[in-house]
Amino acid sequence: MLKLSKLTDYAAVIMAQIARDPDQAHTASELAARVKLPHPTVGKTLKMLAKSGLLESRRGSHGGYVLSRSPADITASDIIAAIEGPIGMTECSHADGECGLLDSCGVADNWQRVSQAIRTLLDGVTLAHLAQSSPLKLPVQLPIQSVTLPTASGALREH
Amino acid sequence: MLKLSKLTDYAAVIMAQIARDPDQAHTASELAARVKLPHPTVGKTLKMLAKSGLLESRRGSHGGYVLSRSPADITASDIIAAIEGPIGMTECSHADGECGLLDSCGVADNWQRVSQAIRTLLDGVTLAHLAQSSPLKLPVQLPIQSVTLPTASGALREH
DNA sequence: TGTAAAGAGGACTAAAATGGTCCTATATGG
DNA sequence: CCATATAGGACCATTTTAGTCCTCTTTACA
């Protein structure tokens, strides 16, 4: 369903929590309590976010996590990629080949373009947007420049 | 990774094959051969596409599948939804409640808006686009109307 | 009217991804 | 030194996904 994993969802919620109070370090237990999720799970999520550079961690007592950049400089793409790896709709949208069906596929190029469009869209959503409760303004119109389709281009024959 | 399942991928490829030769019925075995995938798998995919109304099937000898509408009237959303169910990034993006964390979540609204933007984007990509080999023109610019973020709106405090 | 060629529908299995927990090690402040 | 944190994995249970197979029905045509 083109869905985010639960962990990614948690990550977004957690990041938003931190973003709303960016000046102090937040511990896993504190965040777990706020977000009402089990401590180990929140801990795991935080570790992933830290490892990919979105959070900075301080160990020891009085430790915790802080944003490594301003909320306006952290995108939805960043968060998703931190938990799920590179964003792409299809197997072949990032890997460099190894699909084996490329010749009989015929849609790879276009899927990759769609992937790219989604990635760009997600790049435009920042943590600052997510953290604020007031609605984002998104373009509900014309996300695709409707190509008056060329009906038949040379290469579309098969076998 | 915000990825489509393999079956969805197959579905797109298969639909594109049919779209390129829309005037005759295509059997599962024929398509399996073209697309170089095992017959049972292709069969399963076709059944799903037919059940959700994107293909019409004719049984018996000389049977097969035909598009139920013109390629320009079948969208990427349709194909994805046929295999994966309703498109939405988060659990709460279509279900009507039952999340239980909504109060502590604080990002639900915005995620839903992002979901909606992706859905709209996908609605703009048709099977006609996918089937043609010449590149789609996608808006690599400004998919989000960058809200100069309101810095602090009333509701974003958390005790 | 019989037979072969198709799809419909669903049961089933194997493999992979996901979510979640826990343990040990290390760092840090008081 | 001790309490409090994170780091980094190992680990398991559950769910999802992919893929196969079997039986039934429909249809064209010899």
Side-chain angles (χ1 to χ4, degrees):
Chain A
M1 326 194 183
L2 211 61
K3 221 189 298 240
L4 300 176
S5 78
K6 285 194 194 176
L7 283 191
T8 308
D9 224 343
Y10 301 163
V13 176
I14 292 168
M15 289 294 280
Q17 283 289 343
I18 301 178
R20 291 192 188 106
D21 182 11
D23 293 329
Q24 55 192 128
H26 300 267
T27 70
S29 1
E30 176 218 322
L31 290 165
R34 286 231 186 139
V35 162
K36 292 182 189 142
L37 287 171
H39 180 182
T41 301
V42 172
K44 184 184 191 174
T45 309
L46 286 165
K47 283 179 220 171
M48 289 194 259
L49 291 165
K51 188 148 62 178
S52 64
L54 301 185
L55 292 177
E56 261 158 28
S57 65
R58 197 162 38 225
R59 313 222 269 190
S61 74
H62 293 144
Y65 294 91
V66 208
L67 295 183
S68 65
R69 321 194 273 277
S70 129
D73 290 331
I74 295 175
T75 68
S77 298
D78 291 333
I79 297 173
I80 295 172
I83 310 292
E84 317 199 359
I87 299 172
M89 297 216 308
T90 58
E91 218 52 67
C92 56
S93 44
H94 35 77
D96 322 270
E98 60 42 72
C99 171
L101 298 170
L102 259 182
D103 41 339
S104 51
C105 172
V107 298
D109 278 0
N110 289 327
W111 266 148
Q112 293 196 19
R113 284 192 177 76
V114 174
S115 273
Q116 182 54 54
I118 291 181
R119 231 175 284 132
T120 305
L121 191 155
L122 257 16
D123 283 343
V125 178
T126 70
L127 179 55
H129 292 137
L130 289 177
Q132 77 197 13
S133 323
S134 61
L136 267 180
K137 284 187 207 143
L138 291 177
V140 199
Q141 348 74 342
L142 335 157
I144 292 249
Q145 182 179 354
S146 196
V147 182
T148 52
L149 50 134
T151 322
S153 57
L156 56 76
R157 79 191 68 276
E158 75 271 80
H159 79 276
Chain B
M1 326 194 182
L2 212 63
K3 221 188 298 242
L4 301 177
S5 78
K6 284 194 195 178
L7 283 192
T8 308
D9 224 343
Y10 301 163
V13 176
I14 292 168
M15 290 293 281
Q17 282 288 344
I18 300 179
R20 292 194 186 103
D21 181 11
D23 293 328
Q24 57 193 128
H26 299 267
T27 69
S29 0
E30 176 217 323
L31 289 165
R34 287 233 184 139
V35 162
K36 292 182 191 142
L37 287 171
H39 179 182
T41 301
V42 173
K44 185 184 192 175
T45 308
L46 287 165
K47 282 178 220 170
M48 289 195 259
L49 291 166
K51 187 147 63 177
S52 62
L54 301 186
L55 292 177
E56 262 158 28
S57 65
R58 197 162 39 224
R59 310 224 269 190
S61 74
H62 291 146
Y65 294 91
V66 210
L67 296 182
S68 64
R69 321 194 272 277
S70 127
D73 290 331
I74 294 175
T75 68
S77 298
D78 291 334
I79 297 173
I80 295 173
I83 309 292
E84 316 199 359
I87 298 172
M89 297 215 309
T90 58
E91 218 52 69
C92 56
S93 44
H94 35 79
D96 322 273
E98 62 40 72
C99 170
L101 298 170
L102 259 182
D103 41 340
S104 51
C105 172
V107 298
D109 279 0
N110 289 327
W111 265 149
Q112 294 195 18
R113 285 192 177 76
V114 175
S115 272
Q116 183 53 54
I118 292 181
R119 232 174 284 132
T120 305
L121 191 155
L122 257 17
D123 282 343
V125 178
T126 70
L127 179 56
H129 292 137
L130 289 178
Q132 76 196 16
S133 323
S134 61
L136 268 179
K137 283 187 206 145
L138 293 176
V140 199
Q141 348 72 343
L142 333 159
I144 291 246
Q145 182 178 354
S146 196
V147 182
T148 52
L149 52 132
T151 323
S153 57
L156 56 76
R157 80 188 69 277
E158 79 272 70
H159 65 291

